[in-house]
Amino acid sequence: MDTRINTFDGQPQALQHSVPDDIDEIHRRTFEYFWLGSHPVSGLVRDRLRADGTSINEIASISGTGFGVLAIIVGAERGWITRDQALDRVTTIVRTLSKAKRFHGAFAHFLHADTCEVIPFSPKDDGGDLVETAFLLQGLICAREYFSRPTLAETRFRSLAQDLITGVEWKWYTRRSDGPLWWHWSAKYRWCFDIAISGWNEALVCYVLAAGARQHSIDPVHYHQGWARSGAMINGNTYLGTVLPLGEPFGGPLFLSQYSFCCLDPRRLSDRYCDYRQQVEAHTRINYDYCQSKYPGTDLWGMTASDGPKGYKVHSPTQDNDVISPAAALSSFPVCPEEATAAARAFLSYADGKLVGRYGFVDAFSPGTGWIAQTHLAIDQGPVVAMLENYRSGVLWALFMGAPEVQRGLSRLGFTTSVQPDAQDHV
């Protein structure tokens, strides 16, 4: 077996991986997207920033805000900000969100960062987005577990966060059937998009949270018939010499195996359909091998959804637009640290440093045409911060996997988990 792609650490204790200074600097600068680039009053995370760090508009992303909460925890763990600063910021965020319109508990995809008003994602997408909401809740649950002291300030934060977490009406989003959860609902346009949340894709955490919810939980039948499609999400074919357990041919864009696993720990997680360590490893290997066959000897790799010469698009081996996204490789650090490190250094030196923006790497570039994005994107920057920290300490995995609703959801859906690493000392 090719050993270029390392496996997750199989030891039962927390990961303790050091990184070189240049990788630490990338980690910190990417964190600053969320710390310095977010709205100064509401705390909501702007969907995009220019490469120089300036604001483009006041569109805030709900999933980006969830990743931002994770980044704030990382900042406190790393000592880049104090614990009190982190608590103050996440408290500001939940207070802001408590004023936002919700749709049977789910938030819209975009909010105005200043007024908190809903900004339609598309002409008829002006309502609840259940997947975006799940990524927000990942962050809130981790923060609730992290800020666990019996102080007045931390107790107040936990109460505010818990109101948002328990308010999602997961069962309502099943449309009273035994099938899947449904992605969107609008008070005006109802279920007009008719998009089922079916696997395999980035939304696994949606079902874990829905099954484990204290209120409005769903029955496991929705996971097995709706998400897993009674086993139809299983792949099992071989691509570039690697067997892919789940999903579309060649695995699709890498965010499919990254967003949910910023908090769900795949290292010792399995169910009747898959060993999720194998899924993440296989998907990453296929993506890496495909890019290396196309750009041999360059250490450039990583295809996901990102900005491109013709706007935001999906990029993958089967949708090859000659676009590489640095976040895709850097978010793979827990799987392949050597290859991710080599990629980071290749990105640093590419075109005399033109991939380096104010907040880490710009969103994407095209090796074939020389095009370079002039943007940072929240939902790409966020997984970089989270996954690098999971590689370095495992703290986000430990926080999330220890949460009661996550443990309950995994148990109800039939997942098997071995002993998870303990969280590092946050005190």
Side-chain angles (χ1 to χ4, degrees):
M1 183 176 179
D2 190 339
T3 58
R4 290 173 301 162
I5 302 292
N6 298 321
T7 60
F8 290 101
D9 190 318
Q11 299 303 311
Q13 57 269 88
L15 296 175
Q16 296 288 342
H17 291 137
S18 62
V19 297
D21 289 346
D22 52 353
I23 303 302
D24 181 72
E25 178 65 15
I26 292 167
H27 200 186
R28 177 169 183 159
R29 289 183 65 154
T30 310
F31 150 78
E32 288 177 344
Y33 178 100
F34 301 95
W35 185 247
L36 300 177
S38 297
H39 191 276
V41 177
S42 70
L44 298 183
V45 173
R46 294 182 173 103
D47 182 56
R48 278 179 174 79
L49 296 173
R50 295 186 182 91
D52 64 4
T54 58
S55 300
I56 299 172
N57 51 45
E58 292 301 341
I59 296 175
S61 161
I62 281 296
S63 59
T65 297
F67 287 126
V69 174
L70 295 178
I72 291 164
I73 295 169
V74 172
E77 280 292 284
R78 290 283 130 209
W80 298 329
I81 55 175
T82 67
R83 183 186 177 91
D84 286 344
Q85 286 177 310
L87 176 61
D88 183 66
R89 176 65 64 86
V90 296
T91 302
T92 296
I93 290 171
V94 293
R95 282 177 173 160
T96 298
L97 291 172
S98 68
K99 302 173 185 177
K101 186 174 182 179
R102 280 172 274 174
F103 304 84
H104 291 275
F107 289 89
H109 191 116
F110 286 149
L111 299 177
H112 192 285
D114 185 35
T115 67
C116 228
E117 294 178 358
V118 171
I119 297 176
F121 183 71
S122 63
K124 293 184 178 181
D125 189 356
D126 64 350
D129 185 315
L130 201 60
V131 176
E132 289 282 305
T133 299
F135 294 141
L136 171 67
L137 264 55
Q138 285 190 137
L140 296 183
I141 290 169
C142 283
R144 185 199 67 201
E145 297 298 298
Y146 187 79
F147 294 105
S148 59
R149 292 174 178 173
T151 65
L152 178 61
E154 296 200 11
T155 301
R156 184 184 296 117
F157 165 74
R158 291 195 301 274
S159 177
L160 290 167
Q162 189 69 2
D163 285 345
L164 300 179
I165 293 164
T166 59
V168 180
E169 298 177 29
W170 301 101
K171 190 171 183 178
W172 190 85
Y173 276 86
T174 65
R175 296 168 67 173
R176 299 181 180 179
S177 76
D178 289 337
L181 291 164
W182 295 85
W183 205 299
H184 305 94
W185 181 81
S186 159
K188 184 175 182 180
Y189 300 105
R190 313 297 289 177
W191 307 101
C192 71
F193 289 102
D194 206 34
I195 299 175
I197 306 175
S198 293
W200 172 254
N201 61 38
E202 74 275 23
L204 174 62
V205 73
C206 208
Y207 280 86
V208 174
L209 295 179
R214 182 178 298 177
Q215 301 173 25
H216 313 294
S217 64
I218 64 169
D219 190 274
V221 68
H222 299 289
Y223 176 76
H224 297 294
Q225 292 186 13
W227 169 257
R229 294 177 285 128
S230 300
M233 71 173 181
I234 294 173
N235 186 314
N237 294 315
T238 299
Y239 305 93
L240 304 177
T242 297
V243 177
L244 182 67
L246 303 177
E248 61 189 82
F250 289 88
L254 271 178
F255 79 90
L256 302 184
S257 287
Q258 292 175 342
Y259 283 5
S260 282
F261 293 118
C262 286
C263 292
L264 283 172
D265 184 349
R267 291 172 296 166
R268 287 170 292 281
L269 185 66
S270 61
D271 65 3
R272 70 179 70 170
Y273 308 106
C274 182
D275 177 318
Y276 290 91
R277 180 182 71 178
Q278 293 177 7
Q279 170 66 19
V280 176
E281 289 177 347
H283 188 182
T284 306
R285 175 186 290 280
I286 292 164
N287 197 289
Y288 174 83
D289 285 344
Y290 178 84
C291 292
Q292 288 299 283
S293 70
K294 183 171 182 178
Y295 309 109
T298 65
D299 290 320
L300 303 177
W301 66 280
M303 289 181 164
T304 192
S306 66
D307 285 343
K310 298 182 179 180
Y312 183 83
K313 293 183 180 297
V314 166
H315 311 290
S316 73
T318 58
Q319 294 175 277
D320 186 354
N321 306 300
D322 188 44
V323 172
I324 295 293
S325 306
L330 269 63
S331 299
S332 300
F333 246 94
V335 186
C336 50
E338 292 182 6
E339 289 76 12
T341 299
R345 289 172 174 163
F347 300 148
L348 284 168
S349 62
Y350 182 86
D352 296 323
K354 291 181 181 178
L355 297 185
V356 181
R358 171 60 186 86
Y359 297 126
F361 293 116
V362 298
D363 198 48
F365 65 103
S366 172
T369 67
W371 172 85
I372 296 175
Q374 296 302 306
T375 52
H376 296 299
L377 182 56
I379 58 173
D380 286 339
Q381 300 296 86
V384 172
V385 181
M387 287 302 213
L388 256 169
E389 189 58 39
N390 282 330
Y391 171 70
R392 299 179 77 171
S393 73
V395 66
L396 298 178
W397 281 337
L399 289 167
F400 192 71
M401 297 296 284
E405 57 268 82
V406 175
Q407 293 182 341
R408 187 165 53 246
L410 291 171
S411 176
R412 292 189 69 217
L413 298 181
F415 281 84
T416 299
T417 60
S418 58
V419 177
Q420 301 297 332
D422 294 329
Q424 283 188 299
D425 183 11
H426 321 305
V427 179

